Coordinates of all heavy atoms in Angstrom, one line a residue:
I107 N 14.7 82.1 -61.5 CA 14.0 83.3 -62.0 C 15.0 84.4 -62.3 O 15.8 84.8 -61.4 CB 13.0 83.8 -60.9 CG1 11.8 82.8 -60.8 CG2 12.5 85.2 -61.3 CD1 10.8 83.2 -59.8
L108 N 15.0 84.9 -63.5 CA 15.9 86.0 -63.9 C 15.2 87.3 -63.8 O 15.8 88.3 -63.5 CB 16.3 85.8 -65.4 CG 17.1 84.5 -65.7 CD1 17.4 84.5 -67.2 CD2 18.4 84.5 -64.9
E109 N 13.9 87.3 -63.9 CA 13.1 88.5 -63.8 C 11.7 88.2 -63.1 O 11.2 87.1 -63.3 CB 12.7 89.1 -65.1 CG 13.7 89.9 -65.9 CD 13.2 90.6 -67.1 OE1 12.9 89.8 -68.1 OE2 13.0 91.8 -67.1
S110 N 11.3 89.1 -62.3 CA 10.0 89.0 -61.7 C 9.4 90.4 -61.6 O 10.1 91.3 -61.1 CB 10.1 88.3 -60.3 OG 8.9 88.4 -59.5
W111 N 8.2 90.6 -62.1 CA 7.6 91.9 -62.0 C 6.1 91.8 -62.0 O 5.5 90.8 -62.5 CB 8.1 92.8 -63.2 CG 7.5 92.6 -64.5 CD1 6.5 93.2 -65.1 CD2 8.0 91.6 -65.5 NE1 6.3 92.7 -66.4 CE2 7.2 91.7 -66.6 CE3 9.0 90.6 -65.5 CZ2 7.3 91.0 -67.8 CZ3 9.1 89.8 -66.6 CH2 8.3 90.0 -67.7
F112 N 5.5 92.9 -61.6 CA 4.0 93.0 -61.6 C 3.7 94.0 -62.7 O 4.2 95.1 -62.7 CB 3.5 93.6 -60.2 CG 3.9 92.7 -59.1 CD1 4.9 93.0 -58.2 CD2 3.2 91.5 -58.9 CE1 5.2 92.1 -57.2 CE2 3.5 90.6 -57.8 CZ 4.5 91.0 -57.0
C113 N 3.0 93.6 -63.7 CA 2.7 94.4 -64.8 C 1.9 95.7 -64.4 O 1.1 95.6 -63.5 CB 2.0 93.7 -66.0 SG 0.3 93.4 -65.8
G114 N 2.2 96.8 -65.1 CA 1.5 98.0 -64.8 C 0.7 98.4 -66.1 O 0.4 97.6 -66.9
E115 N 0.4 99.7 -66.2 CA -0.4 100.2 -67.3 C 0.4 100.0 -68.6 O -0.2 99.7 -69.6 CB -0.8 101.6 -67.1 CG -1.7 101.9 -65.9 CD -3.0 101.2 -66.0 OE1 -3.5 101.0 -67.2 OE2 -3.6 100.7 -65.0
N116 N 1.7 100.3 -68.6 CA 2.5 100.2 -69.8 C 3.8 99.5 -69.4 O 4.7 100.1 -68.8 CB 2.8 101.6 -70.4 CG 1.6 102.2 -70.9 OD1 0.8 101.7 -71.7 ND2 1.3 103.4 -70.4
D117 N 3.9 98.2 -69.8 CA 5.2 97.5 -69.6 C 5.4 96.6 -70.8 O 4.6 96.5 -71.7 CB 5.3 96.8 -68.3 CG 4.4 95.6 -68.1 OD1 4.1 94.9 -69.2 OD2 3.9 95.3 -67.0
K118 N 6.5 95.9 -70.8 CA 6.9 95.0 -71.9 C 5.9 93.9 -72.2 O 5.9 93.4 -73.3 CB 8.3 94.5 -71.7 CG 8.5 93.6 -70.6 CD 10.0 93.2 -70.5 CE 10.4 92.6 -69.2 NZ 11.8 92.4 -69.1
S119 N 5.1 93.5 -71.2 CA 4.2 92.4 -71.5 C 3.2 92.8 -72.6 O 2.8 92.0 -73.4 CB 3.4 92.0 -70.2 OG 2.6 93.0 -69.8
Q120 N 2.8 94.1 -72.6 CA 1.9 94.5 -73.7 C 2.6 94.4 -75.1 O 1.9 94.1 -76.1 CB 1.4 95.9 -73.4 CG 0.3 95.9 -72.4 CD 0.7 96.8 -71.2 OE1 1.8 97.4 -71.2 NE2 -0.1 96.7 -70.1
S121 N 3.9 94.7 -75.1 CA 4.6 94.6 -76.4 C 4.7 93.2 -76.9 O 4.9 92.9 -78.1 CB 6.0 95.3 -76.4 OG 6.8 94.5 -75.5
W122 N 4.5 92.2 -76.0 CA 4.5 90.8 -76.3 C 3.1 90.3 -76.6 O 2.9 89.1 -76.9 CB 5.0 90.0 -75.1 CG 6.5 90.2 -74.8 CD1 7.4 90.9 -75.5 CD2 7.1 89.8 -73.6 NE1 8.6 90.9 -74.9 CE2 8.5 90.2 -73.7 CE3 6.7 89.1 -72.4 CZ2 9.4 90.0 -72.7 CZ3 7.7 88.9 -71.5 CH2 9.0 89.3 -71.6
G123 N 2.1 91.2 -76.6 CA 0.7 90.8 -76.9 C -0.2 90.5 -75.8 O -1.4 90.2 -76.0
Y124 N 0.3 90.6 -74.6 CA -0.6 90.4 -73.4 C -1.4 91.6 -73.1 O -0.9 92.7 -73.2 CB 0.2 90.0 -72.2 CG 0.9 88.7 -72.2 CD1 2.2 88.6 -72.5 CD2 0.2 87.5 -72.0 CE1 2.9 87.3 -72.5 CE2 0.8 86.3 -72.0 CZ 2.1 86.2 -72.3 OH 2.7 85.0 -72.3
N125 N -2.6 91.4 -72.7 CA -3.5 92.5 -72.2 C -4.1 92.1 -70.9 O -5.3 91.7 -70.8 CB -4.6 92.8 -73.3 CG -5.4 94.0 -72.9 OD1 -5.0 94.9 -72.1 ND2 -6.6 94.1 -73.4
L126 N -3.3 92.1 -69.9 CA -3.7 91.6 -68.6 C -3.7 92.7 -67.5 O -3.1 93.8 -67.7 CB -2.7 90.5 -68.1 CG -2.7 89.3 -69.0 CD1 -1.6 88.3 -68.6 CD2 -4.1 88.5 -68.9
P127 N -4.5 92.6 -66.5 CA -4.7 93.7 -65.5 C -3.4 94.0 -64.8 O -2.6 93.1 -64.6 CB -5.8 93.1 -64.6 CG -5.8 91.7 -64.7 CD -5.3 91.4 -66.1
P128 N -3.3 95.3 -64.4 CA -2.2 95.7 -63.5 C -2.1 94.8 -62.3 O -3.1 94.4 -61.7 CB -2.5 97.1 -63.1 CG -3.4 97.6 -64.2 CD -4.2 96.4 -64.7
G129 N -0.9 94.4 -61.9 CA -0.7 93.5 -60.7 C -0.5 92.1 -61.1 O -0.2 91.3 -60.3
T130 N -0.6 91.8 -62.4 CA -0.3 90.4 -62.9 C 1.1 90.1 -62.6 O 2.0 91.0 -63.0 CB -0.7 90.2 -64.4 OG1 -2.1 90.4 -64.6 CG2 -0.3 88.9 -64.9
W131 N 1.4 88.9 -62.1 CA 2.8 88.6 -61.8 C 3.4 87.9 -63.0 O 2.9 86.8 -63.4 CB 2.9 87.7 -60.5 CG 4.3 87.2 -60.2 CD1 5.4 88.0 -60.3 CD2 4.7 86.0 -59.7 NE1 6.5 87.2 -59.8 CE2 6.1 86.0 -59.5 CE3 4.0 84.8 -59.4 CZ2 6.8 84.9 -59.0 CZ3 4.6 83.7 -58.9 CH2 6.0 83.7 -58.7
F132 N 4.4 88.4 -63.6 CA 5.2 87.9 -64.7 C 6.5 87.4 -64.2 O 7.1 88.0 -63.3 CB 5.4 88.9 -65.8 CG 4.3 89.1 -66.7 CD1 3.2 89.9 -66.4 CD2 4.2 88.3 -67.9 CE1 2.2 90.1 -67.3 CE2 3.2 88.5 -68.8 CZ 2.2 89.4 -68.5
I133 N 7.0 86.3 -64.8 CA 8.3 85.8 -64.5 C 9.0 85.4 -65.8 O 8.4 85.0 -66.7 CB 8.4 84.6 -63.5 CG1 7.6 83.4 -63.9 CG2 7.9 85.1 -62.1 CD1 7.7 82.2 -63.0
S134 N 10.4 85.6 -65.7 CA 11.2 85.0 -66.8 C 12.1 84.0 -66.1 O 12.8 84.3 -65.1 CB 12.1 86.1 -67.4 OG 11.3 87.0 -68.1

Side-chain angles (χ1 to χ4, degrees):
I107 290 179
L108 298 177
E109 283 187 288
S110 171
W111 76 96
F112 301 102
C113 79
E115 295 298 327
N116 295 305
D117 71 30
K118 63 184 168 186
S119 68
Q120 283 119 7
S121 68
W122 295 346
Y124 290 104
N125 185 21
L126 296 171
T130 296
W131 179 39
F132 277 86
I133 59 176
S134 291

